[in-house]
Amino acid sequence: MGMSDEGYQAIDSDKKGSISIKGSNMSRYLQVLAIGVILGALVVSAQVSTGTISGVVQDQTGAIIAGAMVTVRNVDTGAVRTLTSDSGGRYLAPVLPVGNYEVQGQQSGFQTEVRTGINLTVGREEVINLALKVGQLSDKVTITAEAPLVEATTSAMSALVDERTIRDLPLDGRSYDRLALLQPGVVTMGAGQSSAAFDYGEGTRFSVTGSRAYANSFMLDGTDINDHANGTPGGSAGTNLGVDGVQEFKINTSVSGAEIGRSSGGVISAVTRSGTNDFHGAAFEFLRNNALDSPGYFDDVKHGGTGTIAPYRRNQFGGALGGPVKKDRTFFFGTYEGLRQA
């Protein structure tokens, strides 16, 4: 049996129509996939530069309290996040900027409990359990939280270099990444037979728990800042300036979480400072000059020296300023650092 040309044309048109529909569906799938990848990247970026507060709301007997109102407040900026405990009494406040917090729990028929003194650091999950006492809602019980010695919510091995350490410790060159060398298992490495500047950049190369120097990952506010050779970032002087703009950083030495990925070595995650409800600032000037140095052993003529000190002049200067634009809403922070060396 034969088939007319019209029959063939009808079949072809049906096939073309089905292909067009598939192509349209594929286009929509790709759009959804692209949006998912972008949003996922933003979430992962936030996870490594922020912290989390979670816990369980209970009464004095240990029975869970569902539907309790939990308020998480940033003491420095006044930012507030209001949550409701679920059927298991649990609450979760993720993606919180690092800083000082207080947590308040309320439920009808119970006293209000406030936990203060919570210092949330980068990448940390603080577990704050609330135990409400029977009483009037207007009655308030305030408890000062103590930082736990061990992080019970992660198996990662890490060390925190906090704001006080960054500001107070003597730091040659004022490059914050040098403080990573204070952690166990972190040692400096040379460039070997290669050209350090071309092959590895100018940053200080170091190994974390025996890994290669180019296996480390450096992140600033969740953004990858490794140099062109996947090494330590650094300017022409081999330093990362602007230490006054860094609030703190955390170095994971092993068993890093899945949200970090990509790196088989250490992960150094730094967070920049931000403004608060109070104005704060600083100005500095660091001077190094050979006129202030004493002669070294080999500078003496008796030991083959010239009797003079080699000329050396280094000047680092700058300042930082932060504060509110609109209290509890908008803030600013800026820093500048200059380096002159001859």
Side-chain angles (χ1 to χ4, degrees):
M1 296 177 63
M3 183 176 291
S4 65
D5 292 340
E6 293 180 356
Y8 281 114
Q9 291 175 0
I11 293 174
D12 291 341
S13 64
D14 290 341
K15 291 183 178 180
K16 291 179 181 178
S18 64
I19 292 174
S20 176
I21 293 173
K22 290 181 179 178
S24 177
N25 288 338
M26 182 61 70
S27 177
R28 283 195 290 267
Y29 292 153
L30 291 176
Q31 292 176 3
V32 172
L33 178 61
I35 294 173
V37 170
I38 294 173
L39 294 178
L42 293 176
V43 171
V44 170
S45 173
Q47 287 177 334
V48 296
S49 61
T50 59
T52 300
I53 294 179
S54 63
V56 178
V57 184
Q58 301 171 315
D59 62 14
Q60 285 184 295
T61 65
I64 60 174
I65 301 178
M69 186 175 70
V70 180
T71 303
V72 180
R73 177 176 174 269
N74 188 312
V75 178
D76 301 321
T77 64
V80 175
R81 188 177 299 184
T82 303
L83 310 163
T84 302
S85 61
D86 61 15
S87 58
R90 298 177 294 268
Y91 72 92
L92 175 66
V95 197
L96 294 172
V98 298
N100 298 306
Y101 284 85
E102 67 177 24
V103 177
Q104 176 179 280
Q106 292 179 312
Q107 178 66 306
S108 178
F110 295 89
Q111 296 179 351
T112 299
E113 181 174 322
V114 180
R115 301 289 294 272
T116 63
I118 304 170
N119 181 25
L120 189 63
T121 58
V122 56
R124 189 179 184 91
E125 181 176 345
E126 291 284 359
V127 179
I128 307 297
N129 295 323
L130 303 175
L132 305 186
K133 299 179 180 180
V134 176
Q136 299 294 323
L137 187 63
S138 57
D139 296 337
K140 183 178 290 187
V141 179
T142 302
I143 302 173
T144 301
E146 295 182 358
L149 298 178
V150 179
E151 289 189 70
T153 58
T154 178
S155 60
M157 297 183 63
S158 61
L160 177 72
V161 181
D162 60 17
E163 185 174 8
R164 182 177 179 182
T165 302
I166 293 175
R167 303 287 174 273
D168 295 347
L169 283 183
L171 190 57
D172 184 19
R174 291 178 54 80
S175 183
Y176 74 87
D177 59 286
R178 305 286 176 88
L179 294 173
L181 300 174
L182 298 177
Q183 312 309 321
V186 182
V187 295
T188 57
M189 294 184 64
Q193 300 297 321
S194 304
S195 169
F198 181 77
D199 294 331
Y200 295 105
E202 294 285 359
T204 302
R205 302 178 67 237
F206 54 82
S207 170
V208 179
T209 60
S211 64
R212 296 181 182 273
Y214 54 75
N216 300 324
S217 180
F218 295 84
M219 309 189 78
L220 182 64
D221 289 335
T223 302
D224 191 343
I225 58 171
N226 283 41
D227 70 4
H228 67 281
N230 203 41
T232 308
S236 59
T239 60
N240 288 289
L241 298 182
V243 67
D244 283 86
V246 177
Q247 181 167 342
E248 62 187 29
F249 72 91
K250 185 176 185 179
I251 174 169
N252 286 7
T253 54
S254 64
V255 199
S256 297
E259 70 272 13
I260 298 175
R262 199 187 73 83
S263 173
S264 60
V267 179
I268 297 86
S269 180
V271 177
T272 56
R273 297 173 67 184
S274 62
T276 64
N277 280 325
D278 299 319
F279 285 99
H280 52 90
F284 60 88
E285 164 74 24
F286 294 92
L287 173 66
R288 295 178 62 181
N289 193 297
N290 62 283
L292 305 175
D293 296 338
S294 60
Y297 178 85
F298 293 103
D299 292 326
D300 195 323
V301 177
K302 297 179 181 179
H303 303 121
T306 61
T308 60
I309 302 174
Y312 183 80
R313 295 173 179 82
R314 184 170 187 166
N315 187 25
Q316 285 183 267
F317 55 92
L321 179 65
V325 176
K326 187 174 182 180
K327 191 173 181 179
D328 291 340
R329 286 190 171 274
T330 308
F331 310 92
F332 76 93
F333 186 86
T335 181
Y336 171 78
E337 182 164 352
L339 172 64
R340 305 291 184 269
Q341 180 173 316

